[in-house]
Amino acid sequence: MVLAVNGLGKQFDGKWVLEDVSITFEPGRIHGLVGHNGSGKSTLIKILAGYHDASAGEVTLDGRPINNAGPAAIRDLGIRFVHQDLGLISEFTAMENLGIGGVFSQQSGRSIDWKKQALRLQSVIDGFGSEVPLDVAVGKLSAVQRSLIAIARAVEVGDGGGSPARFLVLDEPTTALEGPEVEVLFGVIRALAESGIGVIYVSHNLRDVIELATSISVLRNGELVNTFFDRKASYESLLTAMLGEHLVSDETPNLDAFAVSRLQAQGGASSARLTVRGLRSSLLRGVDLDLYPGECVCVMGLSGSGREELIYALAGSTPSLSTSMTLNGAAIDALSPLTWHEQKIALVPGNRMPGSSVKEFTMRENLSLVSLDQLRLGFRQLDRKAETSMVERWASRLEILPADPEYGTRNLSGGNRQKVILAKWLQADPTTLFIDEPTAGVDVGAAHKLLTELRQIVGEGRTLLVTTSEVGDVLAVADRVLILHEGRVSQELVRGRDEFTESSLLLAMNQNIGEATTMTSSTGGTK
Amino acid sequence: MSSVAARVKGSLGVRKIGAIYVWIVLIAFFSLVNSTFYEYATFTQVLNQYAITGLVAMGLLLPLAAGLYDLSVGAVLGLSSMTAAWVLVNVTTNVFVAVLAGVAAALIVGVLNSVVLLVLRVDSFIGTLATSSIVTAAVVALSGDNVIAFEVFGDYGTWLGIHNIIGLTMPVGLLLIAILVIAYLLERTGYGRRLYAIGYEEEVARLSGIRVDRMRAGSLLASSALAGLAGTLAAAAVGAGDPTVGPEYLLPAFAAVFLGATQFRNGRFNPWGAAVAVLLLGTGNVGLILIGAPTWTPNIFSGALLILAVALTHGGRGGKRALKKQISEGSADAGAAEPAKVG
């Protein structure tokens, strides 16, 4: 029983996001699938799951084509998925969650034999060698217990016929897990593979993949770069395969001298624009920050490190606590969206985040939303002419396409939408900007324009705090980089002081994980 | 020039102003069936009768723009009609005072709605359904379920229901003012822009520093006040406060607002669309009665129109959201990053 993709391709809006990918997944093996954001690995998984149709090539199970079969048929064939968010309903017990996986739906009309179901689920969980209570709302369980339930649900046979699980696809399964929990999960994954299930393990955490997988396929820009067989992949070889030849982008501006001189100029906390001590939130466990005028600080970290939450917690839009905070030298309680305007602070969410833009609005309406008071005529009337020319100004400065203020935001491409969001906040003339994932889902040209603009506004003396998972962004704009790990800053890299390359940053980010694995490279800073 | 032609063509398209075409068809149909339909008197009758519905609809626009249902407007209408009548019978025959009393009573419900929806965080559909039930019951209890009749041809009834200019009574004038004011607010001021932002994407509004709850409370108070005003006019029309008068306005008002949202502004709740929809509704209902259709047919007409309207606005909220989710999931991986989480 072999699962294979042959010459697989997928096109979105005329652009190939996956092209001519051929991989063979074998039963009883753990096959790693790695690649950076936008490499096409999610697309590949979605085609396997029957969620997308392939634009080219085919998926075969034992030589029989199964692509375009649809999710239900794929499940019946024994190909199962555990997605990153697990797809569990926190208020339901493990038993009830079993019902959402399609197991109960196949016997609709008949009442559920809970006892039988419980026994069967229990036997699967027992096989994992781990205690998981089945009658407690899963929201009350630990992260690893939830993962095990999701996996148990995926490999569970179900009543309605269909094949037992043959292949299990795990997408970023360790995101929410901590050290020892990861080991528990790995134990279960290895046991599943030994029982004959082919595991496809998708992750951007190279150390996890190296530890687990016997074969590893690397995707880059929608193409298969290489498949390493028989545990022959090393950290460096994977990294090189993932990043390609251009380890250091030639577009990187030379900011070294700039950063160093300013660092020396920074006398102490007194000149800081914003200082934060002990910032805590659901993912953050005490982060200290000092942000200075005219610098761009980038924050990196793997999923779950707190990187994705930092600016929202800092800006007070997600519940958080800090022991102290000062703005321009004066102590403040906390930041909140209601006070940003007076404090000249802006939070620019990534364009795929809830809270970034109103899809139903035109470009004009989104762009002016925080500066409506600048456009006031008598009787609180909006100055539509001024509004339109304001939008046109930004459209030409940031090269927003189409440059039509009345264009629907819904129809803008990710990059153009991101430009609108940035323009919206720049129009309010903030001194400090918190920016999340400025180039996620943004094409290369737009990303370059955005990053150039960010560099320019730093030059104007503004303070930028950028959280990103794109190393390229960091190389293009950062003066300093903070690496987050488990909710704390684990390392600081300063341009001009520390080695500041794509590999040194990736290394720093991955260094905290899988400490046991021997590392041959010793680049990177202090830990 | 061709772009102007295209623009004109676009703004006259069935998708933009379909209700106007349906309205013309209705007028033609009723005129053919009943020779007495196509007269000025019918026109004024439609306006005079449906101005009250129109006022309720104008009020509803604000909470709906802000993403909240206000199902209590029917009950509020009953409450204010009773309050105005009670004041007329027991306190003073001053028209102004009676109307103000009705509106004031309505505002109390607006405050109640604000507390239930914005402090207790109850879903607006359920919350206003509940306050509606409470208010209706309270009115019945206080009145002993009796109507409060007053002199129809007194100042109150005369001023608000009989006096007219070219056949149009006071409610039509008030409706016209309401349309203009609401249109100004929603389409010409930052207030309106912020209100729409709240309704479409609450999180965007919140992160943009908009005082979401405060603005929503204001919209609920405005909707109650306008329903209250409508109630005092409804009392004047029949010469009595009637605790059960609300429901007959609730559904048509919602039908008008939702159908109106499909007109002119691409799915956005707007006063112009709502006004046209009220005309369409009124013409249909008055026409049905004039051609001798049974008295239950107007309710079928309103109900069918509401379903049609909501179906036209992308199959309602749930459907739209599901569709959105589908679309975003489908395209999320085109430049994929793991979806970030906000707490």
Side-chain angles (χ1 to χ4, degrees), chain B:
Chain B
M1 281 300 108
S2 67
S3 78
V4 174
R7 260 203 178 160
V8 170
K9 202 177 161 195
S11 62
L12 292 181
V14 177
R15 306 195 68 166
K16 280 244 168 183
I17 57 163
I20 290 181
Y21 295 133
V22 177
W23 186 46
I24 293 170
V25 169
L26 272 185
I27 292 173
F29 171 75
F30 288 128
S31 305
L32 287 174
V33 175
N34 186 333
S35 58
T36 63
F37 179 83
Y38 195 74
E39 280 174 14
Y40 186 66
T42 314
F43 177 68
T44 56
Q45 187 193 346
V46 168
L47 282 180
N48 290 337
Q49 267 187 25
Y50 280 82
I52 296 173
T53 307
L55 278 170
V56 179
M58 289 307 135
L60 279 178
L61 283 171
L62 298 172
L64 282 171
L68 296 178
Y69 283 93
D70 184 356
L71 296 176
S72 71
V73 288
V76 167
L77 212 139
L79 171 70
S80 82
S81 100
M82 289 296 281
T83 309
W86 186 85
V87 168
L88 284 174
V89 171
N90 296 302
V91 184
T92 168
T93 54
N94 185 306
V95 180
F96 200 61
V97 172
V99 170
L100 273 189
V103 173
L107 280 173
I108 295 173
V109 184
V111 172
L112 176 66
N113 282 335
S114 302
V115 170
V116 170
L117 304 196
L118 306 173
V119 179
L120 304 179
R121 298 277 158 200
V122 177
D123 173 75
S124 68
F125 196 91
I126 299 300
T128 55
L129 194 61
T131 57
S132 170
S133 161
I134 292 167
V135 170
T136 307
V139 171
V140 169
L142 292 174
S143 66
D145 206 9
N146 294 316
V147 299
I148 304 176
F150 51 85
E151 177 52 59
V152 191
F153 297 105
D155 275 355
Y156 191 80
T158 311
W159 269 99
L160 299 180
I162 295 171
H163 272 322
N164 65 76
I165 303 168
I166 56 167
L168 301 173
T169 53
M170 183 67 94
V172 181
L174 291 173
L175 173 60
L176 201 63
I177 295 170
I179 292 173
L180 292 174
V181 169
I182 302 252
Y184 184 80
L185 277 178
L186 283 180
E187 301 186 341
R188 296 291 173 101
T189 68
Y191 167 86
R193 193 71 60 74
R194 294 186 178 107
L195 209 60
Y196 281 126
I198 293 171
Y200 282 133
E201 300 276 353
E202 188 182 341
E203 188 64 9
V204 176
R206 213 167 60 79
L207 293 184
S208 299
I210 295 170
R211 292 175 190 275
V212 173
D213 282 357
R214 189 185 289 187
M215 293 201 56
R216 282 185 157 164
S219 75
L220 289 168
L221 290 178
S223 137
S224 287
L226 276 168
L229 180 63
T232 62
L233 300 174
V238 295
D242 182 349
T244 63
V245 73
E248 75 180 84
Y249 292 99
L250 177 67
L251 190 98
F254 265 93
V257 173
F258 273 88
L259 181 61
T262 66
Q263 306 293 305
F264 307 122
R265 299 278 187 270
N266 293 327
R268 200 172 288 190
F269 292 109
N270 72 86
W272 310 111
V276 169
V278 169
L279 272 183
L280 175 63
L281 208 63
T283 306
N285 289 351
V286 169
L288 283 170
I289 300 297
L290 277 182
I291 64 169
T295 50
W296 44 260
T297 48
N299 283 338
I300 292 187
F301 183 67
S302 306
L305 210 58
L306 179 56
I307 291 173
L308 182 74
V310 177
L312 283 176
T313 41
H314 311 291
R317 307 199 144 218
K320 196 172 164 191
R321 198 162 291 164
L323 187 69
K324 237 190 223 168
K325 198 174 166 224
Q326 205 178 330
I327 291 167
S328 70
E329 276 177 1
S331 61
D333 54 342
E338 72 278 11
K341 298 165 201 106
V342 194

Side-chain angles (χ1 to χ4, degrees), chain A residues 391-413:
Chain A
V391 175
E392 281 166 349
R393 254 194 333 271
W394 281 110
S396 82
R397 172 164 163 191
L398 296 183
E399 294 166 15
I400 301 172
L401 287 173
D404 174 10
E406 301 311 310
Y407 198 72
T409 308
R410 182 197 300 282
N411 303 323
L412 286 173
S413 73

Side-chain angles (χ1 to χ4, degrees), chain A residues 21-73:
Chain A
V21 170
S22 303
I23 307 175
T24 304
F25 303 105
E26 292 177 28
R29 294 289 187 92
I30 301 173
H31 195 123
L33 190 59
V34 300
H36 259 291
N37 300 321
S39 61
K41 56 187 200 290
S42 340
T43 308
L44 176 57
I45 296 165
K46 283 181 179 164
I47 295 174
L48 283 179
Y51 197 90
H52 287 326
D53 290 343
S55 310
E58 58 178 6
V59 182
T60 60
L61 188 63
D62 263 358
R64 203 157 56 91
I66 57 162
N67 47 322
N68 308 352

